[in-house]
Short mmCIF file of all heavy atoms in Angstrom, two decimals:
data_model
loop_
_atom_site.label_atom_id
_atom_site.label_comp_id
_atom_site.label_asym_id
_atom_site.label_seq_id
_atom_site.Cartn_x
_atom_site.Cartn_y
_atom_site.Cartn_z
N LEU A 46 103.55 294.65 12.45
CA LEU A 46 103.68 293.26 12.78
C LEU A 46 102.91 292.37 11.71
O LEU A 46 103.37 291.47 11.07
CB LEU A 46 103.31 292.84 14.06
CG LEU A 46 103.63 291.51 14.57
CD1 LEU A 46 105.00 291.15 14.57
CD2 LEU A 46 102.95 291.34 16.02
N LYS A 47 101.73 292.73 11.43
CA LYS A 47 100.90 292.06 10.37
C LYS A 47 101.44 292.17 9.08
O LYS A 47 101.50 291.12 8.32
CB LYS A 47 99.50 292.60 10.38
CG LYS A 47 98.62 292.31 11.59
CD LYS A 47 97.14 292.62 11.34
CE LYS A 47 96.88 293.99 10.91
NZ LYS A 47 95.49 294.35 10.49
N SER A 48 101.88 293.33 8.67
CA SER A 48 102.48 293.51 7.43
C SER A 48 103.75 292.66 7.18
O SER A 48 103.83 292.03 6.12
CB SER A 48 102.92 294.96 7.22
OG SER A 48 103.54 295.26 5.92
N GLU A 49 104.65 292.66 8.20
CA GLU A 49 105.76 291.75 8.06
C GLU A 49 105.41 290.25 7.97
O GLU A 49 105.99 289.55 7.23
CB GLU A 49 106.72 292.05 9.21
CG GLU A 49 107.36 293.41 9.32
CD GLU A 49 108.05 293.76 10.63
OE1 GLU A 49 108.03 292.87 11.52
OE2 GLU A 49 108.72 294.84 10.58
N ALA A 50 104.40 289.87 8.77
CA ALA A 50 104.11 288.40 8.81
C ALA A 50 103.41 288.19 7.44
O ALA A 50 103.62 287.01 6.87
CB ALA A 50 102.97 288.15 9.90
N ALA A 51 102.69 289.08 6.82
CA ALA A 51 102.03 288.81 5.50
C ALA A 51 103.06 288.67 4.41
O ALA A 51 102.92 287.77 3.61
CB ALA A 51 101.05 289.94 5.31
N GLN A 52 104.05 289.49 4.49
CA GLN A 52 105.16 289.56 3.44
C GLN A 52 105.83 288.19 3.54
O GLN A 52 106.38 287.67 2.43
CB GLN A 52 106.13 290.61 3.73
CG GLN A 52 105.50 291.91 3.42
CD GLN A 52 106.47 293.14 3.72
OE1 GLN A 52 107.67 292.93 4.14
NE2 GLN A 52 106.04 294.40 3.62
N GLN A 53 105.92 287.52 4.68
CA GLN A 53 106.63 286.23 4.83
C GLN A 53 105.71 285.11 4.64
O GLN A 53 106.04 283.94 4.83
CB GLN A 53 107.30 286.22 6.31
CG GLN A 53 108.45 287.24 6.40
CD GLN A 53 108.86 287.40 7.83
OE1 GLN A 53 108.48 286.59 8.76
NE2 GLN A 53 109.68 288.41 8.11
N GLY A 54 104.46 285.39 4.36
CA GLY A 54 103.38 284.34 4.07
C GLY A 54 103.06 283.60 5.45
O GLY A 54 102.68 282.42 5.45
N GLU A 55 103.11 284.24 6.61
CA GLU A 55 102.83 283.64 7.83
C GLU A 55 101.74 284.27 8.61
O GLU A 55 101.43 283.76 9.66
CB GLU A 55 104.08 283.94 8.84
CG GLU A 55 105.45 283.22 8.31
CD GLU A 55 106.52 283.62 9.20
OE1 GLU A 55 106.51 284.47 10.07
OE2 GLU A 55 107.65 282.87 9.08
N LEU A 56 100.88 285.10 7.91
CA LEU A 56 99.70 285.69 8.58
C LEU A 56 98.43 284.94 8.11
O LEU A 56 98.14 284.69 7.10
CB LEU A 56 99.56 287.11 8.12
CG LEU A 56 98.45 287.91 8.90
CD1 LEU A 56 98.62 288.09 10.36
CD2 LEU A 56 98.25 289.32 8.22
N ASN A 57 97.74 284.40 9.13
CA ASN A 57 96.35 283.72 9.09
C ASN A 57 96.48 282.68 7.97
O ASN A 57 95.52 282.59 7.12
CB ASN A 57 95.50 284.78 8.70
CG ASN A 57 95.31 285.85 9.83
OD1 ASN A 57 95.38 285.51 10.97
ND2 ASN A 57 94.89 287.00 9.44
N LYS A 58 97.49 281.83 8.00
CA LYS A 58 97.55 280.71 6.97
C LYS A 58 96.47 279.64 7.24
O LYS A 58 95.96 279.01 6.30
CB LYS A 58 98.95 280.09 7.09
CG LYS A 58 100.11 280.91 6.48
CD LYS A 58 101.48 280.16 6.71
CE LYS A 58 101.42 278.96 5.80
NZ LYS A 58 102.71 278.22 5.90
N ASN A 59 96.18 279.47 8.46
CA ASN A 59 95.18 278.41 8.84
C ASN A 59 93.86 278.92 9.04
O ASN A 59 93.58 279.41 10.20
CB ASN A 59 95.76 277.54 10.02
CG ASN A 59 94.90 276.30 10.30
OD1 ASN A 59 93.68 276.25 10.12
ND2 ASN A 59 95.49 275.26 10.80
N GLU A 60 92.99 278.91 8.01
CA GLU A 60 91.73 279.50 8.16
C GLU A 60 90.81 278.93 9.31
O GLU A 60 90.07 279.59 10.04
CB GLU A 60 90.91 279.46 6.81
CG GLU A 60 89.67 280.14 6.75
CD GLU A 60 89.68 281.65 6.92
OE1 GLU A 60 90.68 282.24 6.70
OE2 GLU A 60 88.68 282.29 7.47
N LYS A 61 90.82 277.67 9.45
CA LYS A 61 90.12 276.93 10.52
C LYS A 61 90.62 277.43 11.84
O LYS A 61 89.70 277.70 12.67
CB LYS A 61 90.22 275.39 10.33
CG LYS A 61 89.46 274.75 11.40
CD LYS A 61 89.53 273.06 11.07
CE LYS A 61 88.63 272.30 12.03
NZ LYS A 61 88.84 270.87 11.78
N MET A 62 91.80 277.51 12.07
CA MET A 62 92.40 277.96 13.43
C MET A 62 91.97 279.33 13.57
O MET A 62 91.60 279.86 14.79
CB MET A 62 93.97 277.77 13.39
CG MET A 62 94.49 278.30 14.73
SD MET A 62 96.33 278.26 14.86
CE MET A 62 96.61 276.41 14.83
N LEU A 63 92.02 280.23 12.55
CA LEU A 63 91.69 281.69 12.58
C LEU A 63 90.21 281.81 13.07
O LEU A 63 89.89 282.53 14.05
CB LEU A 63 92.04 282.35 11.24
CG LEU A 63 91.60 283.88 11.32
CD1 LEU A 63 92.42 284.65 12.26
CD2 LEU A 63 91.75 284.43 9.89
N GLN A 64 89.42 281.06 12.39
CA GLN A 64 87.91 281.22 12.70
C GLN A 64 87.64 280.77 14.15
O GLN A 64 86.79 281.36 14.87
CB GLN A 64 87.10 280.45 11.67
CG GLN A 64 87.09 280.99 10.36
CD GLN A 64 86.81 282.42 10.24
OE1 GLN A 64 85.74 282.94 10.88
NE2 GLN A 64 87.46 283.25 9.50
N ARG A 65 88.39 279.72 14.57
CA ARG A 65 88.26 279.12 16.03
C ARG A 65 88.71 280.18 16.98
O ARG A 65 87.89 280.53 17.94
CB ARG A 65 89.14 278.05 16.02
CG ARG A 65 89.14 277.35 17.45
CD ARG A 65 90.04 276.13 17.46
NE ARG A 65 90.18 275.57 18.72
CZ ARG A 65 91.21 274.80 19.15
NH1 ARG A 65 92.24 274.62 18.29
NH2 ARG A 65 91.23 274.24 20.38
N VAL A 66 89.83 280.84 16.81
CA VAL A 66 90.22 281.91 17.69
C VAL A 66 89.40 283.10 17.76
O VAL A 66 88.92 283.73 18.82
CB VAL A 66 91.71 282.19 17.38
CG1 VAL A 66 92.18 283.41 18.29
CG2 VAL A 66 92.64 281.13 17.70
N ARG A 67 88.92 283.50 16.57
CA ARG A 67 88.06 284.65 16.42
C ARG A 67 86.68 284.47 17.12
O ARG A 67 86.10 285.39 17.56
CB ARG A 67 87.88 285.15 14.97
CG ARG A 67 89.14 285.83 14.39
CD ARG A 67 88.95 286.27 13.06
NE ARG A 67 90.09 287.05 12.54
CZ ARG A 67 90.27 287.63 11.35
NH1 ARG A 67 89.49 287.32 10.40
NH2 ARG A 67 91.29 288.27 10.99
N ALA A 68 86.24 283.25 17.06
CA ALA A 68 84.90 282.90 17.66
C ALA A 68 85.00 282.97 19.18
O ALA A 68 84.14 283.46 19.77
CB ALA A 68 84.46 281.45 17.22
N ILE A 69 86.19 282.50 19.69
CA ILE A 69 86.34 282.69 21.17
C ILE A 69 86.55 284.04 21.55
O ILE A 69 85.87 284.56 22.52
CB ILE A 69 87.67 281.84 21.54
CG1 ILE A 69 87.47 280.32 21.37
CG2 ILE A 69 87.98 282.12 23.03
CD1 ILE A 69 88.74 279.59 21.42
N ALA A 70 87.12 284.90 20.82
CA ALA A 70 87.24 286.34 21.15
C ALA A 70 85.91 286.94 21.04
O ALA A 70 85.65 287.85 21.88
CB ALA A 70 88.14 287.06 20.09
N ASP A 71 85.03 286.58 20.08
CA ASP A 71 83.71 287.12 19.96
C ASP A 71 82.85 286.89 21.15
O ASP A 71 81.97 287.73 21.46
CB ASP A 71 83.02 286.70 18.60
CG ASP A 71 83.58 287.30 17.36
OD1 ASP A 71 84.22 288.35 17.50
OD2 ASP A 71 83.29 286.68 16.38
N ARG A 72 83.06 285.79 21.82
CA ARG A 72 82.28 285.49 23.11
C ARG A 72 82.87 286.24 24.37
O ARG A 72 82.14 286.61 25.21
CB ARG A 72 82.39 284.00 23.30
CG ARG A 72 81.42 283.26 22.37
CD ARG A 72 81.62 281.68 22.53
NE ARG A 72 81.34 281.19 23.94
CZ ARG A 72 81.21 280.00 24.25
NH1 ARG A 72 81.41 279.00 23.23
NH2 ARG A 72 81.07 279.49 25.50
N ILE A 73 84.09 286.51 24.17
CA ILE A 73 84.82 287.08 25.43
C ILE A 73 84.64 288.63 25.31
O ILE A 73 84.43 289.39 26.37
CB ILE A 73 86.36 286.95 25.48
CG1 ILE A 73 86.47 285.38 25.89
CG2 ILE A 73 87.04 287.69 26.57
CD1 ILE A 73 87.88 285.07 25.90
N LYS A 74 84.63 289.36 24.10
CA LYS A 74 84.63 290.79 24.09
C LYS A 74 83.43 291.42 24.70
O LYS A 74 83.63 292.45 25.44
CB LYS A 74 84.55 291.11 22.55
CG LYS A 74 86.02 290.92 21.90
CD LYS A 74 86.12 291.54 20.44
CE LYS A 74 85.37 290.62 19.57
NZ LYS A 74 85.50 291.06 18.04
N PRO A 75 82.25 290.88 24.61
CA PRO A 75 81.16 291.53 25.27
C PRO A 75 81.24 291.61 26.89
O PRO A 75 80.70 292.50 27.54
CB PRO A 75 79.94 290.80 24.79
CG PRO A 75 80.29 290.10 23.58
CD PRO A 75 81.72 289.75 23.73
N GLN A 76 82.03 290.46 27.38
CA GLN A 76 82.13 290.40 28.83
C GLN A 76 82.98 291.48 29.40
O GLN A 76 83.01 291.74 30.54
CB GLN A 76 82.67 289.08 29.14
CG GLN A 76 81.89 287.88 28.50
CD GLN A 76 80.34 288.02 28.73
OE1 GLN A 76 79.87 288.30 29.79
NE2 GLN A 76 79.60 287.76 27.59
N THR A 77 83.77 292.12 28.49
CA THR A 77 84.82 293.17 29.03
C THR A 77 84.00 294.36 29.57
O THR A 77 84.67 295.15 30.29
CB THR A 77 85.70 293.62 27.84
OG1 THR A 77 84.99 294.24 26.77
CG2 THR A 77 86.63 292.52 27.32
N ALA A 78 82.71 294.47 29.20
CA ALA A 78 82.04 295.67 29.75
C ALA A 78 81.83 295.57 31.22
O ALA A 78 81.65 296.65 31.88
CB ALA A 78 80.61 295.72 29.06
#
């Protein structure tokens, strides 16, 4: 899925949005324990 999106130029185009979503994930991941 990532490869196909990258080929179409649709993967992680908005760096600000990407960092925002990854920061939220980083706060949630430890809580999964």
